[in-house]
Structures are given as C-alpha cells and as structure tokens.
C-alpha cells in the first residue's frame, strides 16, 4: 500500500485549537449524503427527507368550522345587535350543506364540518342562548371567526416539509395527512466502531489489576443508535501497529464513518499516527476544551475518521460537540445545531479563560419559574456517573474565567441525543 500524503496543516500542527475552529474544519471536511431510498411511511421515523414533500391537496381540504357552534352570514349583519337566528338544521363532520342559508338563518355545525357556502363565520355554542329553533347572542361576530380556511395550514402545491427534515412523529402525522404512503429518505449511515488499548478488556473476561472494562464502545453504540446509524462493531484492537492498520483498512472498506476511542493522547500519538498515516490522512489536534482535549480527525481514503479520547466522559462530550454535527450533516441535516438555553447557576462551576468547559449539570424549573442548573458534583473525565446523573451540559465559553452562584450560563439539554 502506498502511504497517504500527510494532511497535517503546518499552520496549526501542534497548536491548541478552539472548539469553534475545530468544528468548522470537521464540517468542511465531511460530505453531504448522495444516496437515498424509498421507505414506507411507518418505517420512516428518525430518517431524513431526501427531497421536499410537496402537498397534492389543501390542508384543510375545505373551509370548515374550528368549533362547535352555529354558522351564520356575518357579512350581511351590518353590525346590528342583538341578533336572532332561526336554526335550520345540524351539520356534522363528513357531511355537506347543499341548501341556501338566509341572512336570518343559522346552521348548527360541528367542529371540522365544511362551512355552508353562504356562511362566513361561526358563533361558538357557549356564546349563544337557544330557545327552541332560535338562537340569540349579544356580541359582534367578525367574518372568518372560528373558521379554518381551505389550505390555510398547507396550500396545494406548496412545500410541506423541506429536504433535510428529520422525521419525528409529528412529521409522520403531517405526511400521512397529505396522503403519503412512502417517502424518499437518505440512506442510514454505516459507522464502524472499535476500542484500542492493551489495558481494555471485554465484559465477561477476568479483570486484571491493571485492566479496565471496555466502556466507550457501548456508549458509542448508544449514541450512534440514537442517531439512527447502523453500527459495525470491530471490537477491541491491541496496541499493535499491524493490528491497527488491518482494522483501519477493514473499517474504511465497510463503513461511511469510522470511530475509535483511546490512543490519541500525547503519550501514544506517535504510535497511532504511524498506523493511521499508512491508511489515510489524519490530523491530530489539541482542542482548548475540558474534558476531551485530544482528538484525531481525518480520512481513511474517502471515509471520515474520528479518533476520540479514552476517558468515558471525554468520549461522550467530544462526540456531542464534534461527531454529532458531522454525522447529522452526513445524514442530510446540513444546518443542524445543538439546542442551547440560558439558565441561572445554582452552583459554582470551574472554568478557565482560553478554553471551553463542558460541566455536567442538572437543570430544572424552580418554584419561581426560572430555569436553573446545578452541578452533578465531581467533574473528572473518567467519572461516568456524572453523565448518568446529568440532564445537560453546562457550556462555559473560552472568554469566561468562572461561573458563580446566580450567574447566567449556557446549557445544552440532553434531549437532542441522550
């Protein structure tokens, strides 16, 4: 095999990159999807639309009543109050009124029923007094009141959902309301995952004094599964250059993206770098963040590669900040960004100017109705229990030296992924 030309950018090699700069470089380097498929609508949950969904009908299809009440001709009333109308019949959803309606008449109408052609407003049932076949009310009624116009939600021929839309349950319902039975979506990403290190052992094996169970591969399985990726599990790879080259070649041939965890700290950078450069074009970066400073990113041939840190919390945090946006772009969500909110700190959070800190936090609405966030406690990059207890990351930017009790702070809720 011919060794790949090094992709190390001499202008940044060895430098400490900021989070935004690192993410920009990664997003510029990963491709948009180019393969799609038709799937039944009921199997399209969490897939991404590959083409716009154009409505073939008006939604609602007909002008109809938004409330239970009485349909009248408001435009001919001239504002005269009080008004008395004779009820000439009931009209239920699924029926049509094919008779003329005089200015002094009203049609009892149910929610969703098509508005009689002569009528232009609905008086809600609770606002009228009915005596036998007559109703009376003492307030003004505007044209269009309590009426849903045909096509006011979605007009025939308009774009109901844009390409790149993630299909959640509500989008599936919308497409079903338009009569869709199948949709064209981007194909699922195939992602290869492996762990590295002689100290890493599989569950079920004896745990020696100097060993640790493989944690990161399972976290990555879960994160990738939540994104709808197909995971190719390549297990644990020993600290051996030949084994590393072999697994990288296998991964690049089988997957759209490759992830490893461990082996990218400064202590092992030369060994990993040597193996990776035989297969691809890899850049090692030091990122001004905590946790998760070391990161390897590049390509194995045409396949993007992420070398994540070894500490469990660092793996999850770097995945959320760098891998998730890249994967979502490759899935077709090219403009996705993590959800961010501003909360009031109920704890002091450690930070340092010049780096971005991601502390694990627990956010809630307090008795005063304010969004607040407290620390989960110890924030070491190996304390996986902090991720279990947390429901958000507290994002402390590189211009902030500290966050004190009562300060405003940005949080990233876990609802997007965890």
């Amino acid at each position: 095999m011919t060794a790949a030309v090094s992709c190390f950018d001499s202008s940044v090699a060895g430098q400490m990159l900021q989070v935004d700069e690192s993410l920009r470089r990664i997003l510029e380097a990963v491709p948009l999807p180019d393969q799609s498929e038709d799937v039944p609508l009921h199997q399209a949950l969490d897939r991404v639309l590959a083409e716009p969904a154009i409505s073939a009908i008006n939604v609602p299809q007909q002008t109809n009543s938004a409330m239970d009440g009485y349909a009248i001709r408001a435009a001919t009333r001239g504002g005269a109050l009080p008004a008395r109308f004779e009820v000439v019949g009931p009209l239920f959803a699924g029926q049509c009124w094919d008779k003329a309606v005089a200015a002094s008449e009203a049609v009892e109408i149910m929610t969703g029923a098509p508005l009689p052609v002569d009528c232009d407003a609905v008086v809600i049932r609770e606002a009228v007094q009915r005596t036998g076949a007559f109703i009376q009310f003492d307030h003004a009624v505007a044209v269009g009141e309590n009426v849903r116009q045909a096509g006011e939600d979605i007009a025939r021929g308009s774009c109901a959902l844009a390409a790149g839309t993630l299909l959640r349950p509500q989008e599936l319902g919308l497409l079903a309301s338009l009569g869709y039975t199948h949709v064209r979506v981007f194909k699922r990403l195939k992602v290869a995952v492996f762990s590295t290190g002689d100290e890493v052992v599989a569950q079920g094996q004896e745990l020696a004094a100097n060993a640790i169970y493989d944690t990161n591969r399972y976290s990555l399985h879960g994160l990738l599964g939540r994104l709808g990726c197909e995971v190719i599990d390549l297990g644990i790879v020993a600290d051996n250059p030949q084994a590393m080259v072999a697994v990288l070649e296998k991964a690049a041939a089988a997957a759209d993206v490759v992830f490893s965890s461990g082996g990218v700290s400064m202590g092992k950078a030369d060994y990993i770098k040597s193996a990776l450069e035989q297969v691809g074009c890899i850049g090692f970066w030091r990122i001004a963040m905590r946790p998760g400073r070391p990161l390897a990113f590049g390509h194995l041939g045409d396949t993007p590669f992420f070398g994540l840190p070894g500490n469990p919390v660092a793996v999850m945090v770097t995945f959320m900040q760098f891998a998730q946006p890249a994967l979502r772009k490759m899935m077709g969500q090219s403009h996705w960004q993590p959800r961010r909110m501003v909360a009031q700190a109920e704890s002091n959070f450690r930070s340092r100017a010049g780096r971005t800190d991601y502390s694990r936090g627990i956010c809630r609405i307090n008795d005063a109705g304010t969004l607040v966030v407290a620390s989960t406690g110890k924030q070491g990059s190996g304390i996986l229990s902090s991720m279990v207890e947390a429901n958000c990351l507290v994002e402390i930017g590189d211009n902030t030296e500290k966050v004190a009790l009562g300060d405003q702070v940005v949080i990233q809720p876990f609802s997007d992924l965890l």
Side-chain angles (χ1 to χ4, degrees):
M1 176 187 300
T2 302
V5 176
S6 174
C7 66
F8 281 32
D9 185 340
S10 60
S11 66
V12 299
Q15 294 183 17
M16 185 77 74
L17 299 183
Q18 299 299 318
V19 169
D20 289 347
E21 172 70 4
S22 303
L23 179 58
R24 181 188 67 79
R25 289 173 177 271
I26 289 171
L27 289 178
E28 287 178 352
V30 298
L32 289 166
D34 59 3
Q35 295 186 354
S36 60
E37 60 185 348
D38 285 326
V39 300
L41 185 60
H42 69 274
Q43 295 179 7
L45 182 65
D46 292 333
R47 303 295 294 272
V48 179
L49 274 182
E51 61 186 20
I54 306 300
S55 179
I57 61 173
N58 283 321
V59 180
Q61 189 172 355
Q62 298 171 310
T63 300
N64 66 83
S65 177
M67 304 286 287
D68 289 345
Y70 297 88
I72 64 170
R73 293 170 55 175
T76 62
R77 291 182 57 211
L81 293 173
R84 187 169 183 265
F85 295 82
E86 181 181 3
V87 180
V88 293
L91 179 59
F92 297 89
Q95 297 179 341
C96 292
W97 188 269
D98 57 3
K99 304 173 186 177
V101 179
S104 60
E105 294 177 334
V107 176
E108 185 177 10
I109 192 168
M110 309 304 162
T111 302
L115 202 68
V117 174
D118 294 327
C119 298
D120 53 22
V122 173
V123 185
I124 63 173
R125 178 174 293 167
E126 295 82 357
V128 307
Q129 294 177 334
R130 181 164 180 171
T131 305
F134 292 90
I135 62 168
Q136 190 168 347
F137 51 92
D138 58 3
H139 67 281
V141 178
V143 172
E145 189 168 318
N146 299 313
V147 171
R148 294 183 293 215
Q149 300 295 328
E152 75 172 28
D153 184 8
I154 303 173
R156 181 188 293 112
S158 67
C159 178
L161 295 172
T165 298
L166 179 69
L167 298 179
R168 304 168 298 172
Q170 51 267 52
E171 280 81 15
L172 295 187
L174 178 63
L175 292 171
S177 75
L178 302 179
Y180 276 80
T181 61
H182 289 71
V183 288
R184 178 156 285 273
V185 294
F186 291 114
K187 287 193 173 181
R188 295 187 187 275
L189 290 178
K190 294 181 179 180
V191 182
V193 176
F194 62 91
S195 298
T196 65
D198 290 339
E199 76 281 10
V200 180
V201 300
Q203 287 68 20
Q205 296 183 6
E206 182 180 352
L207 189 65
N210 61 342
I212 57 173
Y213 282 127
D214 186 4
T215 300
N216 297 334
R217 199 156 42 94
Y218 289 89
S219 294
L220 289 172
H221 262 277
L223 292 164
L224 293 166
R226 284 285 174 88
L227 287 174
C229 300
E230 295 181 17
V231 180
I232 303 170
D233 191 337
L234 299 177
I236 302 169
V237 181
D239 288 337
N240 177 290
Q242 291 74 32
M244 176 62 71
V245 169
V247 77
L248 289 173
E249 290 178 336
K250 179 179 179 180
D256 300 305
V257 192
V258 178
F259 282 89
S260 72
S261 68
V264 295
S265 63
M266 293 303 292
K268 292 186 177 181
D270 289 340
Y271 151 65
I272 294 290
K273 175 182 175 182
S274 174
L276 291 172
E277 287 196 318
Q278 293 184 56
V279 181
C281 178
I282 306 296
F284 282 83
W285 299 341
R286 291 188 303 144
I287 302 176
M289 64 183 290
R290 185 184 67 96
R293 184 172 67 172
L295 178 73
F297 174 78
H299 287 80
L300 309 173
D302 294 326
T303 305
F305 170 82
F306 287 86
L308 302 180
N311 284 318
V313 175
V315 163
M316 300 187 80
V317 171
T318 52
F319 184 98
M320 294 172 68
Q321 304 309 316
F322 304 113
Q324 179 179 199
L327 290 170
R328 288 189 182 273
K329 177 183 175 181
M330 296 179 70
M331 292 165 54
Q333 294 180 267
S334 56
H335 300 296
W336 181 88
Q337 291 187 354
R339 183 178 291 113
R340 289 180 167 90
M341 299 179 182
V342 175
Q344 186 179 80
E346 287 192 319
S347 306
N348 296 317
F349 288 93
R350 174 187 170 193
S351 185
R352 189 179 72 193
R355 77 178 182 199
T356 301
D357 280 78
Y358 296 96
S359 296
R360 277 69 72 200
I362 303 171
C363 63
R364 63 183 179 88
I365 302 294
N366 66 12
D367 293 340
T370 301
L371 179 63
V372 295
V373 63
S375 171
T376 60
K378 293 181 179 180
Q379 297 289 310
S381 60
I383 303 176
L384 194 52
S385 60
S386 67
M387 291 294 289
V388 174
E389 296 171 11
N391 61 8
C392 67
L393 291 179
V394 180
E395 180 183 322
I396 306 171
D398 52 20
N399 293 321
T400 302
E401 292 187 355
K402 65 178 181 178
V403 173
L405 185 69
D407 286 350
Q408 298 292 301
V409 67
V410 174
I411 64 172
Q412 293 184 22
F414 283 172
S415 56
D416 275 341
L417 190 60
L418 295 173

